[in-house]
Amino acid sequence: MQLNECINFMLTNVQNAVFLCFKKQLQQYNVTPIQYALLKCLWDEDEQAPSQLAQRLYLDSSTVTGIMSRLEEKALIVREYSKTDRRRIIVRLTDAGRALQKPIEALIEETNRQVTQGLSAQEQRQLREQLLHIADQANHLAAQ
């Protein structure tokens, strides 16, 4: 098999190219793609535990802790102890974090459109389904 036929190599190249594109677009908001992903989780449902965010983003807790620290330094989120259970930490958006939702979501939507330009709606749907299938297969094989 040629290297450029290996699914891992192809997906890595595509992921790197798309990541760099999104990173460049998000620079104007001083947010990285993974920071956007965590913000998106909070825009969808504010006030979540770090473990919820880690699970939703498929990341380990230490990685999420680092992302939260950088977002906290930018005053986009705060971490607070729960009022009902002092052992539990809750992550919530600040007003500044909430204010980024509309412009960043518009930017993400436009960048998605540009990156997939040339693919029909059906081809885009098929691509998503195929990528999910590959992820399911790889997860199944890794669990064996």
Side-chain angles (χ1 to χ4, degrees):
M1 172 186 296
Q2 296 293 318
L3 182 59
N4 64 353
E5 294 173 350
C6 174
I7 189 73
N8 182 56
F9 184 77
M10 291 188 301
L11 289 174
T12 298
N13 284 337
V14 170
Q15 197 277 333
N16 287 338
V18 172
F19 176 84
L20 289 174
C21 177
F22 277 84
K23 182 179 177 185
K24 181 181 178 189
Q25 295 300 317
L26 287 166
Q27 279 179 339
Q28 64 187 298
Y29 296 104
N30 193 26
V31 171
T32 66
I34 194 61
Q35 291 170 353
Y36 152 72
L38 192 141
L39 288 170
K40 175 65 173 150
C41 290
L42 293 171
W43 292 332
D44 290 347
E45 181 186 341
D46 202 4
E47 299 188 7
Q48 295 187 53
S51 59
Q52 290 173 283
L53 294 166
Q55 185 177 20
R56 183 141 181 233
L57 295 171
Y58 303 100
L59 297 171
D60 61 56
S61 348
S62 61
T63 301
V64 169
T65 298
I67 298 165
M68 289 187 304
S69 294
R70 288 182 285 285
L71 288 171
E72 208 166 27
E73 288 170 10
K74 296 174 186 185
L76 300 178
I77 66 164
V78 292
R79 288 180 273 190
E80 303 173 330
Y81 288 105
S82 167
K83 292 175 175 90
T84 57
D85 182 352
R86 298 288 296 162
R87 296 169 295 176
R88 188 165 181 246
I89 293 177
I90 298 297
V91 182
R92 71 170 177 79
L93 292 161
T94 63
D95 289 341
R98 212 171 280 107
L100 289 178
Q101 181 176 3
K102 285 186 181 176
I104 288 181
E105 285 188 337
L107 174 79
I108 294 295
E109 195 168 314
E110 176 59 19
T111 305
N112 267 323
R113 189 190 64 71
Q114 291 173 350
V115 166
T116 58
Q117 190 171 358
L119 297 176
S120 70
Q122 179 182 354
E123 289 169 326
Q124 289 178 42
R125 192 172 39 259
Q126 287 172 335
L127 176 61
R128 279 190 298 276
E129 289 170 4
Q130 291 166 345
L131 290 172
L132 289 171
H133 174 77
I134 291 169
D136 285 345
Q137 286 296 110
N139 286 330
H140 175 73
L141 289 170
Q144 291 180 349

